[in-house]
Amino acid sequence: MIEVLLVQASLPRPAPRTSSRTSSRISSRLASRPAAATLLAIALAAVGLGPAASPAAAATIPAGSGSYTDTRPAGTSGPTTNTGTPVTPKVTAAARDKPVPTNDWWSSLAFQRYGDNPYSTPMYGHPLTYQAKANGLEVGYPTTPAIVGDGRQYEYAHKADLTVGLTGLNSPDTKADAWSDWTVTPYWADGSRTFRATIGHGMPFVYAKGSGGDARITTASTPTVFSDQGNVVGITVAGHHYALFAPTGSDWNISGTTITAGLGSKDYFSLAVLPSTDALATYRKYAFSFVTGSQVSWQTTGGNVRATYTLTTEAREGTERGTLQALYRHQWLHTSDALTPYTYVSPRGTMKVRESASFTTSQRNNGVVPALPAASGVDRARLTGYLNEVANASDPFSGARDTYWTGKALGKLAQLVPVADQIGQTAVRDKLLGLMKGRMQEWFTAGGASEFSYDKDWKTLTGYPASYGSDTELNDHHFHYSYYVYAAAIIAQYDPAWAADSAWGTMVKHLIRDTANPSRTDAAYPFLRGFDVYAGHSWASGHQGFAAGNNQESSSESINLSAGLVLWGAATGDNSLRNLGSYLLTTESEAITQYWFDANEQVFPASYRYGTVGMVWGSGASYSTWWTANPEEIHGINVLPVTGGSLHLAREKAAIKRNIAEMERENGGPAQEWRDLLWEFEALSDPASAKAKWDGVNGNYTPEEGESKAHTYHWITTLDTLGAPDMTVSGDLPTSAVFSKNGTRTYTAHNHGSTTRTVTFSDGKTLSVPARSTATSTGPGGGDPDPDPDPGTPSTGNTFRLKTGGVLTTATTDPAGADTIASADGVNRDGTPYRPNVYEIKRVNGKVSAGAATAFRLRVDAGTRVGLAPQVRVSYDLTGDGTFDRTETFRYFATDPVNGWEEYTQAAGVQATTGSLGELKNGTVRLEIWNALGNGTSQVQTGTDAAVLRIPYA
């Protein structure tokens, strides 16, 4: 079926954007259902896939050995309204020559998808939501989720609490006037008045500038005034608290639902949503520190990815240049920067407020490898047979003609090239490379049946034949082109000359610039078109023309582009692109973990019955895809394609197990249609279970269109032999990975360079990797004596196990045990240790590791007792003098009333810190754990790899 996601009644309900995952098998299944087939045809027509008038003759632009055109092929379309009328970017004259970042949270300001709506659809900045109207900007703060769409979707839909504008404003349209990495300034003009409002992700403020009228706030209902200080007013509307700030000397006048203030000689005012009424004084401090821009910077060093998010401001009054920012969960989980007690509700869980114009996150780099390493369990004869099935197929591209399905076929072949090379099947390897080169060169040469065309208005490169609105709606470019970039990276690994700029590399770089341009000054393409640096993930719709905001279904195809950038950058010696790929992949990995899989079970509303979603929207998320309600595809769409960039999914092994279990419950049994994808997914957590399912079928199944038996067999068998990825260890080369099984780690890395490279892993292991080669080595570490497989084990050296008796130790031979955690005696002990279990180690020496942070992994169990919550504090006495110089208190972990161990980690988040880290010289490290809530005892495991503390020291 085609599933139409619910949108607000205030807008027309568009047919769904048929996204780029429809398979030939799905199409044939739909064709057997007349009603569904009719819906598919209607949806395809609605996204404007019909022909347009023939354009003028195209010019051909050389690009190395390739070329593209500057005019679309005859009979094709570019961006249009929903009725097929061509559109150009809706921007002011000041922004006319600046590439528009389509596929953003605010893209409907610039892309008029619906001809009768020249303003915008709802835009979800979080915590605030917005919608442009003729009289100004609607502002809302949705805090109560609704479960809609037959229970499949949760949403915090936009509902205006107030509208901000000028008296008399009645603009015929709204345009995008300026934008930066995560902020935008809409513009209104009606001939007598002009109005601008700067808004953004994480911004509790709206900064307004206008001329020709007084400041005007129109509330949705009569407001309650909780503070009136003349030019500063605090009001409550629909249960939400707002502060209104007019220039000094002005005075707000409240009459029913209309609030106005004369601006005098000034042209500015602002408003803020408050987390509580007592926050007014803090927010007032920043009322006139107007945000003028936003920018992220990143660096990848020593196995870590650090990113700094900075707002630029100007003081409209006084000298204050600071501001307040609300951090998403994927951000505050990975920052050690101080946060205020203030929080907001959002569809992504709790947002936490920082009082500063910048903050920094630090995450362990998620490595990418061209292929899993060689493993003894792989039967080479059997694998060779599977490889030949693909290489010798009558049509290895399965009839693909458009950009998406050609890309899928290229991706399937690309996965097999290093596998064939690994087992010495060089003839098969070279045949696959030849197939990939030939098809890509067809696309990279203008004038044939397939080509790329550049649109100078939208500053985008579109492949024709297009599909799924990649032309008319600018959808999914990052999905489609991810396969080309990844395939090109594999070719470059074996044939660097092919990837040279003078050959085919320039065309590959055009695809990269179109989808993930790292430059903010490139006049031909926007900065990171589809990737929302603050939201932490990409968006798929080019126009954002839905009441639910923008959306992304296949987060894994977005990851595929990032993995391709890592491999392309490494293969071509472009470390800046390689590091960009690492930043995008590592950032989006955490967003996927939290917002698609709800791995910590802290994001989805309690009333939502699903544990994973197929699609994330600005307003929430849904258990659905664009083309089917089949649970296998809902779960599998955020897995495919399975590549060496998919290892990041292994970070949350318990979430994978819950995901698979939910799929089987909803499916009424194990997967059948996309079984290979879901086996490969399961193998990242429980390789033995996945291998048993593979063995049970014994190769008698039909692969998913982007998969092959050769790749699935190699993937599952290799992980069954080596163990699942160990994501607690990272290498200082982005093309490296670690696997762990039964106490043994396997380290692997690929060196694309021309000289031998020594890779150092975060557990101290080193690996010498010859030039243009893959190297593999094993060593002690990892493993898990618990029958529930979880090979992700921290290292020794800077990692200590909890030992019964109050000891932290680097020993790995202590027997498993358990210590009792005392009851909180029915009193709230949150943040203050109460009869804690104390584990300590003395005479520790070490230097702080840049970008690292305290981490722990503990197993706790409250049995059947209700309402218990163990809490951890880690303290550092830097000199061993008895005074702790640094303490870090983590948020408590609410245990369930079910017998069995639960995992408590630093991912719960830091609640409070005091002091600073510094060099440990004969110092002391202490971990305390106590029950913050409840009236009963619980237990913490000791003496195992699941009872560990890792300190941020070398």
Side-chain angles (χ1 to χ4, degrees):
M1 61 176 286
I2 296 292
E3 182 164 327
V4 182
L5 298 181
L6 296 186
V7 295
Q8 297 301 298
S10 59
L11 286 177
R13 295 173 181 260
R17 173 187 59 78
T18 312
S19 195
S20 55
R21 266 63 61 196
T22 317
S23 70
S24 58
R25 190 182 325 124
I26 296 301
S27 298
S28 63
R29 189 169 71 239
L30 287 171
S32 68
R33 303 177 186 176
T38 301
L39 279 173
L40 178 60
I42 293 170
L44 288 172
V47 297
L49 295 180
S54 298
T60 298
I61 297 94
S65 297
S67 57
Y68 61 95
T69 64
D70 66 356
T71 306
R72 289 185 296 274
T76 64
S77 296
T80 65
T81 66
N82 61 312
T83 58
T85 303
V87 291
T88 55
K90 191 160 59 78
V91 299
T92 63
R96 191 161 294 149
D97 295 327
K98 187 178 179 182
V100 176
T102 54
N103 307 73
D104 215 331
W105 67 275
W106 57 265
S107 294
S108 61
L109 278 172
F111 195 138
Q112 188 176 342
R113 179 62 180 162
Y114 296 97
D116 58 352
N117 180 15
Y119 304 103
S120 81
T121 55
M123 301 173 288
Y124 293 82
H126 306 145
L128 292 173
T129 63
Y130 315 95
Q131 185 169 5
K133 293 295 183 71
N135 61 339
L137 182 70
E138 286 186 352
V139 178
Y141 173 40
T143 53
T144 302
I147 308 300
V148 297
D150 195 27
R152 288 173 171 263
Q153 182 172 354
Y154 76 85
E155 63 176 8
Y156 293 76
H158 168 70
K159 182 179 181 181
D161 289 338
L162 49 85
T163 301
V164 55
L166 301 176
T167 54
L169 181 64
N170 185 23
S171 179
D173 60 22
T174 309
K175 297 181 174 70
D177 183 55
W179 53 84
S180 56
D181 288 8
W182 63 89
T183 64
V184 64
T185 301
Y187 172 84
W188 293 255
D190 63 6
S192 301
R193 287 156 289 266
T194 64
F195 179 64
R196 292 173 173 83
T198 297
I199 57 179
H201 275 316
M203 284 175 51
F205 284 92
V206 175
Y207 297 101
K209 295 178 66 176
S211 64
D214 293 340
R216 182 188 64 188
I217 307 293
T218 306
T219 57
S221 58
T222 302
T224 299
V225 179
F226 64 83
S227 178
D228 188 344
Q229 305 170 43
N231 71 318
V232 178
V233 171
I235 62 173
T236 301
V237 182
H240 305 139
H241 310 301
Y242 291 90
L244 314 179
F245 306 99
T248 300
S250 298
D251 192 6
W252 289 102
N253 176 59
I254 303 176
S255 177
T257 59
T258 301
I259 307 174
T260 59
L263 298 178
S265 62
K266 308 296 195 306
D267 65 352
Y268 56 84
F269 63 102
S270 67
L271 65 85
V273 61
L274 303 178
S276 60
T277 57
D278 60 8
L280 177 58
T282 299
Y283 280 64
R284 180 175 185 170
K285 180 180 178 181
Y286 303 106
F288 301 112
S289 178
F290 273 45
V291 168
T292 57
S294 57
Q295 185 165 310
V296 65
S297 61
W298 59 85
Q299 58 180 340
T300 301
T301 56
N304 286 287
V305 174
R306 290 175 61 84
T308 298
Y309 300 82
T310 303
L311 293 174
T312 55
T313 63
E314 64 177 5
R316 304 294 293 177
E317 287 188 9
T319 59
E320 180 59 61
R321 296 289 300 277
T323 191
L324 295 158
Q325 298 184 75
L327 278 63
Y328 283 114
R329 179 176 178 83
H330 76 274
Q331 296 169 326
W332 57 254
L333 281 174
H334 296 285
T335 187
S336 58
D337 292 340
L339 303 175
T340 71
Y342 301 131
T343 62
Y344 290 106
V345 173
S346 88
R348 311 292 179 254
T350 300
M351 299 183 80
K352 300 187 178 184
V353 177
R354 174 159 166 77
E355 191 172 5
S356 175
S358 70
F359 64 90
T360 298
T361 61
S362 178
Q363 294 177 251
R364 189 177 300 283
N365 186 21
N366 292 304
V368 177
V369 291
L372 299 186
S376 60
V378 174
D379 183 328
R380 295 192 172 202
R382 185 177 188 182
L383 179 56
T384 298
Y386 288 145
L387 287 167
N388 283 327
E389 286 181 9
V390 178
N392 298 329
S394 58
D395 180 8
F397 291 90
S398 303
R401 287 292 177 263
D402 62 46
T403 46
Y404 181 70
W405 287 104
T406 299
K408 287 270 287 188
L410 287 168
K412 175 173 67 176
L413 301 182
Q415 297 310 309
L416 300 183
V417 169
V419 170
D421 185 62
Q422 187 180 96
I423 63 171
Q425 291 294 325
T426 56
V428 174
R429 176 201 68 192
D430 293 343
K431 184 173 184 178
L432 295 171
L433 285 169
L435 290 169
M436 292 160 60
K437 290 178 185 177
R439 183 54 60 93
M440 291 182 76
Q441 288 165 201
E442 289 178 17
W443 275 92
F444 288 171
T445 304
S450 52
E451 65 180 21
F452 285 93
S453 174
Y454 181 76
D455 186 315
K456 60 180 173 50
D457 292 322
W458 288 96
K459 305 292 195 295
T460 188
L461 194 71
T462 302
Y464 293 92
S467 51
Y468 312 117
S470 61
D471 50 355
T472 57
E473 301 182 43
L474 301 184
N475 296 335
D476 299 357
H477 282 204
H478 62 313
F479 293 163
H480 294 212
Y481 302 170
S482 72
Y483 293 100
Y484 294 76
V485 174
Y486 199 111
I490 294 298
I491 294 172
Q493 179 178 328
Y494 294 92
D495 187 355
W498 184 92
D501 288 349
S502 58
W504 302 98
T506 296
M507 281 301 297
V508 177
K509 289 181 178 179
H510 271 288
L511 299 188
I512 292 171
R513 289 165 66 197
D514 181 73
T515 54
N517 189 7
S519 172
R520 296 179 181 86
T521 59
D522 187 341
Y525 299 99
F527 172 71
L528 297 180
R529 179 188 302 280
F531 192 84
D532 186 328
V533 296
Y534 204 90
H537 60 81
S538 296
W539 296 110
S541 169
H543 55 77
Q544 188 259 313
F546 303 93
N550 213 324
N551 70 87
Q552 178 159 267
E553 182 185 57
S554 183
S555 61
S556 47
E557 286 181 308
S558 182
I559 287 286
N560 194 44
L561 175 61
S562 302
L565 292 175
V566 172
L567 295 179
W568 172 263
T572 60
D574 189 336
N575 288 345
S576 63
L577 272 182
R578 183 197 67 185
N579 293 344
L580 168 64
S582 291
Y583 162 67
L584 297 178
L585 191 155
T586 301
T587 303
E588 191 154 21
S589 173
E590 185 62 57
I592 293 166
T593 295
Q594 299 299 330
Y595 311 141
W596 274 260
F597 297 155
D598 195 15
N600 302 139
E601 300 179 287
Q602 297 292 312
V603 173
F604 297 170
S607 54
Y608 189 60
R609 74 182 184 91
Y610 295 99
T612 191
V613 296
M615 192 180 312
V616 162
W617 286 85
S619 65
S622 64
Y623 187 81
S624 63
T625 73
W626 278 108
W627 76 93
T628 182
N630 181 358
E632 296 184 31
E633 286 141 299
I634 292 171
H635 288 257
I637 195 57
N638 287 292
V639 176
L640 65 81
V642 175
T643 75
S646 303
L647 304 181
H648 77 98
L649 293 169
R651 290 173 51 240
E652 298 288 346
K653 296 179 175 61
I656 294 177
K657 296 170 191 176
R658 293 197 304 269
N659 191 304
I660 295 295
E662 179 176 75
M663 183 279 296
E664 292 184 346
R665 286 196 305 272
E666 296 295 320
N667 201 45
Q672 297 297 316
E673 294 186 62
W674 278 10
R675 63 183 76 184
D676 45 358
L677 290 171
L678 294 165
W679 292 336
E680 291 171 302
F681 183 40
E682 186 174 15
L684 294 170
S685 172
D686 189 346
S689 177
K691 181 64 161 51
K693 291 175 180 177
W694 164 271
D695 289 341
V697 174
N698 196 32
N700 295 318
Y701 71 97
T702 301
E704 185 271 333
E705 281 77 1
E707 260 300 346
S708 65
K709 293 179 183 178
H711 181 251
T712 301
Y713 170 69
H714 181 267
W715 181 272
I716 293 173
T717 307
T718 298
L719 292 178
D720 183 56
T721 304
L722 304 181
D726 185 342
M727 304 307 293
T728 68
V729 184
S730 63
D732 62 1
L733 185 68
T735 51
S736 61
V738 182
F739 307 86
S740 182
K741 181 177 182 179
N742 297 332
T744 298
R745 285 198 176 110
T746 298
Y747 304 81
T748 188
H750 186 85
N751 176 14
H752 290 85
S754 58
T755 59
T756 297
R757 165 72 188 262
T758 297
V759 179
T760 301
F761 292 86
S762 58
D763 63 355
K765 174 72 174 181
T766 59
L767 178 64
S768 179
V769 190
R772 301 187 180 91
S773 300
T774 295
T776 303
S777 179
T778 59
D784 191 341
D786 193 275
D788 182 17
D790 182 0
T793 304
S795 64
T796 58
N798 64 347
T799 302
F800 309 100
R801 295 191 188 196
L802 278 63
K803 181 178 179 180
T804 295
V807 174
L808 293 174
T809 176
T810 57
T812 59
T813 56
D814 293 308
D819 287 345
T820 298
I821 307 174
S823 170
D825 294 333
V827 177
N828 188 327
R829 313 287 183 178
D830 184 12
T832 304
Y834 176 70
R835 295 193 292 167
N837 292 11
V838 180
Y839 302 88
E840 194 171 271
I841 185 168
K842 297 184 177 181
R843 297 183 295 279
V844 181
N845 298 291
K847 294 185 178 181
V848 178
S849 298
T854 302
F856 60 86
R857 186 170 66 134
L858 304 176
R859 283 191 175 161
V860 294
D861 180 27
T864 58
R865 286 172 287 278
V866 177
L868 273 59
Q871 189 166 26
V872 160
R873 182 170 74 179
V874 178
S875 305
Y876 298 90
D877 173 358
L878 301 179
T879 60
D881 63 359
T883 299
F884 284 93
D885 306 279
R886 166 79 169 186
T887 64
E888 302 174 6
T889 304
F890 293 83
R891 291 178 175 81
Y892 60 68
F893 176 81
T895 52
D896 64 29
V898 179
N899 283 314
W901 296 109
E902 298 178 81
E903 190 168 273
Y904 174 26
T905 75
Q906 77 285 347
V910 176
Q911 183 186 76
T913 61
T914 62
S916 301
L917 291 173
E919 185 174 357
L920 280 166
K921 297 181 178 179
N922 206 35
T924 299
V925 179
R926 173 185 290 176
L927 182 146
E928 300 165 273
I929 183 169
W930 69 97
N931 272 316
L933 303 174
N935 197 355
T937 61
S938 58
Q939 289 189 308
V940 60
Q941 216 172 61
T942 61
T944 74
D945 292 326
V948 292
L949 166 69
R950 184 191 303 110
I951 63 175
Y953 285 84

